[in-house]
Amino acid sequence: CGTGDLAFALAASSPGARVVGLDFSQSMLECAAEKAARFSTHHAADGVLVPTFVAGDVLSLPFPDGHFSAVTVAFGVRNVPDLPRALAEMVRVTRAGGRVVCLEITTPPPGLGRRFHRVWFDHVVPLLGGLVAGDLSAYTYLPASVRSFPEPDALAALLARAGLVDVRYRRFGFGIVALHVGTARGHVAPNG
């Protein structure tokens, strides 16, 4: 969940819903907890529940099968060491008929936009990031991680293999961000 921005947006848009954010980084969870206090004050009278935040690993989620009606991730699965396992865990904790939603940076479709994006993202962004933030390596990692991440069709296939049906995606931001959505079909017992 990082610093909790998506968790807070989900909670604010769905009064009464219980939202749980998970991250393996304690510093991210501490930032989320600080934001939670402000969020609570702002939404106290709206029936909006403050998200809870827990430490955990997406490769081994600390929740029972079918626990959630929806599982979301934004800009997070690109960095996991075992993407199929992470997706399978997300599906495992989603109840039958629930949704798994993944928002991630991707490579734009072929054409002029892809060529422009490659020059901008691979050369200009790292240069500017290095000048502004003083850390060139952090801004060279981002383009490299996007290049090695599955393109939208391949990610959709991985989501289907993880146990989702009706998997679809839509591109945003001139094609550099893809939102994938799939429905959990239910859990199959290990012997059947």
Side-chain angles (χ1 to χ4, degrees), residues 11-90:
S13 68
S14 303
R18 295 184 188 274
V19 177
V20 178
L22 175 133
D23 204 289
F24 67 91
S25 168
Q26 191 59 41
S27 61
M28 292 289 188
L29 293 171
E30 288 167 6
C31 288
E34 289 174 16
K35 290 180 181 180
R38 292 189 302 274
F39 182 86
S40 176
T41 301
H42 184 69
H43 291 284
D46 301 335
V48 173
L49 302 176
V50 177
T52 56
F53 296 98
V54 298
D57 185 349
V58 70
L59 298 177
S60 182
L61 293 171
F63 307 107
D65 294 357
H67 189 69
F68 297 102
S69 58
V71 175
T72 66
V73 63
F75 310 114
V77 293
R78 191 180 72 255
N79 301 311
V80 297
D82 187 343
L83 181 59
R85 182 173 166 190
L87 298 176
E89 276 291 287
M90 292 171 63

Side-chain angles (χ1 to χ4, degrees), residues 36-158:
R38 292 189 302 274
F39 182 86
S40 176
T41 301
H42 184 69
H43 291 284
D46 301 335
V48 173
L49 302 176
V50 177
T52 56
F53 296 98
V54 298
D57 185 349
V58 70
L59 298 177
S60 182
L61 293 171
F63 307 107
D65 294 357
H67 189 69
F68 297 102
S69 58
V71 175
T72 66
V73 63
F75 310 114
V77 293
R78 191 180 72 255
N79 301 311
V80 297
D82 187 343
L83 181 59
R85 182 173 166 190
L87 298 176
E89 276 291 287
M90 292 171 63
V91 172
R92 179 186 67 77
V93 300
T94 306
R95 71 178 54 123
R99 298 282 171 89
V100 173
V101 181
C102 175
L103 179 67
E104 192 58 78
I105 298 172
T106 191
T107 304
L112 182 60
R114 182 178 277 196
R115 289 191 296 273
F116 172 77
H117 178 263
R118 180 150 291 155
V119 169
W120 174 260
F121 206 50
D122 290 0
H123 302 289
V124 177
V125 167
L127 179 63
L128 291 174
L131 290 172
V132 172
D135 185 4
L136 183 65
S137 65
Y139 292 91
T140 54
Y141 166 78
L142 180 61
S145 71
V146 172
R147 275 194 309 276
S148 66
F149 191 71
E151 292 199 21
D153 286 336
L155 182 57
L158 287 172

